[in-house]
Amino acid sequence: MNSIKIIPRKLKGVVDIPPSKSISHRAIICAGLSEGKSIIENMIFSDDISATIEGIKSFGVDLEFKKAKETYDVLVNGKGKVDLINDIIDCRESGSTLRFLIPIALMQNKEVTFVGRGKLCERPLDVYYKLFKQKGIEFRNENGRLPLKVKGPIMSGTYEVEGNISSQFITGLLFVLPLLDGDSKIIITTNLESKGYVDLTLDVLKSFGIEIVNDNYRQFLIKGNQRYKATHFKVEGDYSQAAFWLTAGVLGEEVVCRNLNLNSLQGDRVIIDIIKAMGGNITIEGQSLISNTSNSKGIVVDVSQCPDLTPIITVLAALSNGTTRIVNARRLRIKESDRLKAIATELNKLGAEVLEFEDGLVINGKEMLDGGVVDSWNDHRIAMALAIASIRCKKPVIIQNYDCVKKSYPNFFEHFKELGGEVYE
Ligand SMILES: O=C(O)C1=C[C@@H](OP(=O)(O)O)[C@@H](O)[C@H](O)C1
Ligand SMILES: C=C(OP(=O)(O)O)C(=O)O
């Protein structure tokens, strides 16, 4: 088992925020579906992005990688259609890869097998299964788990989708319906959670020449026979990752986050408002966000539109004055781990007071935590959140299974050290 020991230190300094994972997935897919050469600037090869890259290659897309300082430029040569060259797609542990690539596999009529690892094998796909039954699309799985075999073709038409299980099903359909013969409509049958991710999809699609009409998130109207246009695309910084460093600044000393688009459509940009509402000090200087030592306080946070922020908000809450309530968080249980249980259990081991409820958490904040041995539950966001909690622990924090951070942020602990963190692997 891999573990890391962190000696409590206040972090301070400048961090270049890595490129957005969500936007990177979308850009690779859109470039892969275009005819001709696209360039995607500012990419890193986290495990999830590597899974999408390998997946898109299976559809006959060529990619080349050019190193540019800490990141890469990716040259993508698409054929404008799916030309299956490998019929087994390993999505590793990436929900986005799985749910985005399934509809693409259905654009041709050979069977494709999707495999995965860890918790991904049991993360829900029922939204697709229900649609496949309605549309006569063949699929087979092992008791609802991966591996999943699917066989196209998918046709244009009306797709009724629940919006409160995962927005990733909507994104998956939005990639392929514009390419089909005939117009389509996606009707959202419940309230839509994670709206910001659908906004990101529509925005990246637009950059690649695909137009979708968003009727107030109740339905999406999609003209058929559209074509993706190869383009030069730059991936902006990731607010879900910046959230860790912005919180580190509030709990420690001044942390400057560079490489963020201050007008980004990323739903997790709301971390700025959440930290400020908790009394955290965040300012803007040029293109950077600066967070600084503050006395934070408990509030009520609705995470239905920003689920990925929950672990780090819980850390801030555990070290704030008073009580914080995290509400509308049920979907956190179907991510890489049961994130409500994982963060409550592990922060309590460090001496925090976190109560777990069916669809939320109640956190009674403390000035300091004790420290101790915790586990990541093989979940990158739990590992990173626990690392930030160490800033205000009295004794060292040992995180077991810490290397899962590579799922989204392979150099997280390098950045942690650059900010003055003392860690022993
Ligand atoms: O579309 C995306 O890039 C994502 C959507 C969200 O999932 P849900 O829509 O399932 O909440 C988020 O949790 C995930 O990390 C990335
Ligand atoms: C839930 C996440 O990703 P995915 O759903 O793509 O596995 C995440 O990055 O926190």
Side-chain angles (χ1 to χ4, degrees), residues 220-263:
F220 297 92
L221 309 173
I222 304 138
K223 279 252 162 290
N225 297 304
Q226 298 192 53
R227 290 290 161 256
Y228 284 82
K229 293 189 186 71
T231 191
H232 187 139
F233 186 93
K234 183 168 180 194
V235 182
E236 64 186 40
D238 192 317
Y239 272 92
S240 323
Q241 311 295 31
F244 296 103
W245 306 123
L246 292 172
T247 304
V250 174
L251 297 178
E253 289 179 32
E254 184 180 277
V255 175
V256 179
C257 295
R258 292 198 299 214
N259 284 350
L260 287 166
N261 170 7
L262 300 179
N263 299 313

Side-chain angles (χ1 to χ4, degrees), residues 97-217:
T97 306
L98 177 64
R99 290 158 175 163
F100 297 169
L101 297 187
I102 287 174
I104 299 174
L106 294 174
M107 282 172 58
Q108 50 81 54
N109 54 16
K110 289 187 206 117
E111 185 175 85
V112 177
T113 304
F114 284 90
V115 298
R117 303 178 204 173
K119 187 125 184 291
L120 184 65
C121 297
E122 60 203 62
R123 287 176 68 187
L125 288 169
D126 310 33
V127 173
Y128 276 157
Y129 296 157
K130 197 165 149 193
L131 290 173
F132 295 168
K133 282 183 195 150
Q134 286 165 7
K135 304 282 179 192
I137 293 172
E138 284 175 43
F139 70 97
R140 279 180 291 146
N141 57 36
E142 315 254 328
N143 299 323
R145 294 169 52 102
L146 296 183
L148 164 70
K149 292 180 187 295
V150 291
K151 192 163 177 299
I154 186 169
M155 304 292 203
S156 57
T158 299
Y159 286 78
E160 290 194 3
V161 182
E162 288 123 290
N164 57 357
I165 298 172
S166 169
S167 69
Q168 293 171 348
F169 300 110
I170 300 162
T171 292
L173 291 168
L174 285 169
F175 285 129
V176 303
L177 296 178
L179 288 171
L180 305 180
D181 213 5
D183 299 347
S184 297
K185 194 192 270 185
I186 300 175
I187 299 176
I188 310 299
T189 57
T190 64
N191 57 317
L192 176 58
E193 302 191 355
S194 281
K195 268 194 192 114
Y197 291 101
V198 176
D199 290 334
L200 282 188
T201 306
L202 298 182
D203 193 54
V204 180
L205 284 171
K206 199 166 173 202
S207 302
F208 283 84
I210 300 284
E211 293 291 340
I212 311 271
V213 176
N214 173 1
D215 176 11
N216 205 18
Y217 302 96

Side-chain angles (χ1 to χ4, degrees), residues 21 25 48 93-97 99 120 123 166 168 308 334-336 339 379-381 407-408:
K21 172 164 82 89
H25 282 298
D48 284 10
E93 298 192 40
S94 170
S96 301
T97 306
R99 290 158 175 163
L120 184 65
R123 287 176 68 187
S166 169
Q168 293 171 348
D308 293 357
I334 53 171
K335 303 284 183 185
E336 286 85 327
R339 285 185 173 159
D379 185 329
H380 54 138
R381 298 203 195 275
K407 185 175 193 281
S408 67

